[in-house]
Structure formats: C-alpha cells, structure tokens
Amino acid sequence: MRKAEDTVEHYQSLYIGGTWRPAESGRTHPVINPYTEQVITNIPAAEAADIDQAVAAATEALPSWRQTAVGTRIELLRRIAEILAERTDTIAEIVSADLGVPLAEAKSTQVGYPLRTLAGFISAAATVPWQERVGTSVVVQEPIGVVGAITPWNHPLQQAIAKVGAALVAGCTVVLKPSEFASLGVFELTEAIHRAGVPAGVFNLLTGPGSVAGSALVEHDQVSMVSFTGSTTVGRRIATAAAATLKPVSLELGGKSPSVVLDDADLETAVTATAARCFGNSGQTCAALTRLLVPRARLGEAEEYAKAAADKLVLGDPMDARTTTGPLVSASQQARVRAFIESGSAEGARLITGGLGAPIPDRGFFVAPTVFSDVTSEMTIARNEIFGPVLSILPYDSETEAMRIANDTPYGLNAAVWSASAERAAAFASHIESGLVGINGGRVNLNAPFGGYKQSGFGREFGAAGIHEFLHTKCVNFTIPDGYWPPA
Ligand code: NAD
C-alpha cells in the first residue's frame, strides 16, 4: 500500500494518457487552506495545449475501451472503490485541509458519499438494458464518446465520481476538469484510477481555472458531451458554448430549496433538521434547505428553534473534533456571503442570530451561522443562492400561499415537506417544482436520480439514471424477428 505522500508528489502534475506531467506552460494555481489561510501547494493551470493532449489521449483510448465487457468495467470500478476506501482517513484529511470541512463530516460526506455513489453504479450497471429487443429491432445502448466533466469545489470527490464512475462504466473516456479550489481529493481519485489499472487515456485529469481550461474543453470538437456541475451562471455559459458544436450537455446547477413546515408538523424536529441541512458544510451545498416556510402563527417558536440550532454550532479548526462548522472555501466566497447578509438587513429582514457582528475565529474565512426572519420572496436573500450558512424564515398564512412561495424561485433542485401525515406531505410535494423532495426528513438517495427543474439544470446523476446520461441509444432494425445482434 502506498502512503499519502505519494499522491502529494503529483499535486504539480496533470494526468494525461496514463502519465503524470506538468502543464505545458509551467503555470500553476495556488491551493489555500481556508482555516490557516496558508498556501498548501500549487496545482498546474492547464491551458489549450494540455486540453488538446488530454482530449487526444481520451479519443485514442475510446475504441478499445468501449469494446470492453461491462463486467470488466464494473470490476475496475470496484477496485477503484477499494483503493479509495483504504485511504478514507487520508482523503478526509486532505479534503478537510483544502475545503475547510470538519474532519468527521469529511469522512462521512466527502469520502463516504462518493464510495456509496460508486457502489450504486456498480449495482446499477447490471440493470441497464444494454441491449433490448423491440419487435424486429434491437435497441442498443452505446457509450456517447469522449466526455468533458467539469466539477465544483464543495463536494470535490463526490461530484467527480458522480460523473467519472458513471461515464467509465458506460464505456466512455473522460477528461475531468475539477474546480481550481479544493481539488486535492481529486488527485486521490486519479491515483486510485491509475492503480486500479484503468488503461492509459481512458481517464485524464486537467486542473486550473475554468475560464481557460474549462471553456477549451467545452469548445473542443472531439469532446462528445459535457457534464457540468456548478453555478447557474457558468452553466448558462457552458450551454451557450456547447451549442456551437451541438454537443449534449448535462447541467447540475444551483438551488434555493424550500423546507415547508405544514401546520400539523412537529415544528421542533422540522426546524432543527432544516437548520442542519442548511448549515452543513458551512452552507456550501447545492441541495441545502435555505428557505424555511412556517405557519405565521408559529413564527416565534420556529425562530427560537432555528436560533438554538445555529447557536450550538462550534466554529473553529476543522481538524479539531469539537468543531462542527469550518470556514468557507475562500476569501472571495466569504466576502460574497457577507454581502448577502448585509443585503438581508438592508432590505428589512429581521436578524435572529449570527450576522456580521457575531464572533468568529480570528483566522480563517468564517461566517457565523445566521438566521433571518420575516423574509419575503422579493428579498435578495430569498432569491439568490448564497452558498453560505444563512437560513431565511418566511412565514405563510395558508397552504396555498406556502405553495406559491415554495415555487417562487428560478431554481428547482431540492425541497422538504413536513407534516404529521406523510400522505398529506406527499400530496403537497407533488405540486413542488423541484427534482428532489424529502418527506419528513427523507434524505437524498445516492442510488436514485438526482437533478433539478428550472434553472437548477437538466440531466440526472447517480445510479442507473446517472449511467444513462452517458449513453446513446441505437436502434438496429432487422427484417426478421430474431435479428443478428451483436454482430459476429
Ligand atoms: P462555478 O460555476 O464557479 O465553477 C464550477 C466549475 O466550472 C469549476 O471547475 C470552474 O473552474 C469551471 N468554470 C468556471 N468558468 C467556466 C467556463 N467559462 N467554462 C467552463 N468551465 C468553467 O461553481 P463553484 O463555485 O465551483 O461551485 C458552486 C456552485 O456549484 C453552486 O452554485 C452550487 O449550487 C453548484 N453545485 C450544484 C450541484 C448540483 O448537483 N446541482 C452540486 C454541487 C454544486
């Protein structure tokens, strides 16, 4: 078993055609620990020449990779999962250092979720109808080709695996461009892919700022599809750029998810769980429940429960076991979230706890967990994805109004509904415009389709649906019912 330091050696390198090597230009990008504010290392800043080489390697590897048996690809995925699992503690430390997430949370969400997602692909691959007979036709699922995968920093390994695991098992080759922030965990994935014995060129890693490396990948005419997770703003740019070569795009974008507490719900449970799903990962989660809708008659109680949930969080060193809430990923993210908090107060929202005056550690890019009440749908904090630890409470007077507020957002990723009757909650949920909805605390299922409505994007990840994103359907039509497929 190799040691953690072995992967550190590769932080200055791109992985192209099965080999680690620096960017052609020699340019790098600093990775900063958001708690110590010190540079951890410098990663290569890939540019067009590197992208060309990575895409060429992926293109060359495609013909033989797409012919491998699905069982072989599943076995390789299993091996990758084993290697990652063996290194859980090391990877959690790495992600904790470059993202700022507390170590215990890193183990469960930043390593545990990716492993469960990989396990989901392994079992789902066996259920894909790779070949089906429809009358005199054979309907075949074929890999889409070379995939350009672009991912964000907030769940670095999870977002990479959601694309890479599914694309590889589908028979595609991949060029991955993770975020320029918090991408060190992705080097671990790359090393695991290498050690598992995935053939050279099947997977390639390019790091560096998105405006250069990301856009060159999207525009490349040898890239057959782009799978993107990130902000709605960049998603829109990617869809526009991909239109030039008419390549399919899958977009997993932002959210502003409502948590609707119906009048018969257990208010304390609902508010406490909503706050936990708002403040986890310091609020840097696309599916975070950031708008809490409560009956106006119970607003005061809801504020108390939300305040209690926020105030018990412990900000500090992510490596300290007592810490529940780490810093935000970067100084610019901290400034952005602080500006949203200012706008909340300026537009008349009532600060319940937290805010810019609340104590925070003297170093690190922290924002205190913040709760606003009397928030209305028109306010900036209700309309925009803040991506920080800020919960908005919006009172409602009737169920009809609650529904209107819940859907009054350009986003549609996640939602929650709480009621004493799961049936009543499910009936309400059927009118919510979002790709996911949790009933009475139901959590995201890493084997079931994940994705958004409206400006939260299109396409689905995880499980069989995630694999399907990387497949083309071919219909082979015969004149006789028993056809000749596959060809001899
Ligand atoms: P971002 O959009 O700034 O960046 C995402 C990726 O795109 C990065 O790798 C970046 O380098 C790259 N990029 C930037 N400009 C580009 C361009 N012009 N062309 C190609 N690539 C480009 O997002 P972020 O700040 O890294 O992540 C936070 C966002 O991601 C939030 O909006 C969050 O909601 C979203 N997100 C969505 C999901 C989901 O599944 N729906 C999951 C996690 C995060």
Side-chain angles (χ1 to χ4, degrees), residues 150-155 159 177-181 208-211 213-215 218 228-232 234-235 237-238 252-255 285-286 333 385 387 413 450 456 461:
I150 303 177
T151 53
W153 45 263
N154 62 323
H155 286 268
Q159 262 101 36
K177 210 301 285 169
S179 172
E180 53 274 41
F181 299 99
S211 51
S215 55
V218 177
F228 173 79
T229 299
S231 62
T232 295
V234 175
R237 259 181 234 147
I238 285 182
E252 298 289 343
L253 309 177
T285 301
C286 54
Q333 203 59 25
E385 182 183 50
F387 231 53
L413 184 56
F450 179 101
S456 290
E461 295 200 307

Side-chain angles (χ1 to χ4, degrees), residues 372-449:
F372 280 111
S373 186
D374 284 332
V375 176
T376 62
S377 271
E378 298 72 39
M379 291 181 185
T380 304
I381 55 170
R383 299 214 73 74
N384 292 275
E385 182 183 50
I386 298 176
F387 231 53
V390 181
L391 178 66
S392 295
I393 309 182
L394 297 90
Y396 68 83
D397 291 308
S398 67
E399 221 177 280
T400 312
E401 191 190 12
M403 183 63 69
R404 186 189 57 71
I405 297 173
N407 288 333
D408 187 8
T409 166
Y411 295 107
L413 184 56
N414 194 13
V417 187
W418 306 83
S419 166
S421 153
E423 223 176 345
R424 182 180 171 207
F428 188 94
S430 69
H431 299 286
I432 294 190
E433 298 158 355
S434 65
L436 307 160
V437 54
I439 304 294
N440 287 336
R443 289 182 169 278
V444 167
N445 178 347
L446 299 171
N447 296 325

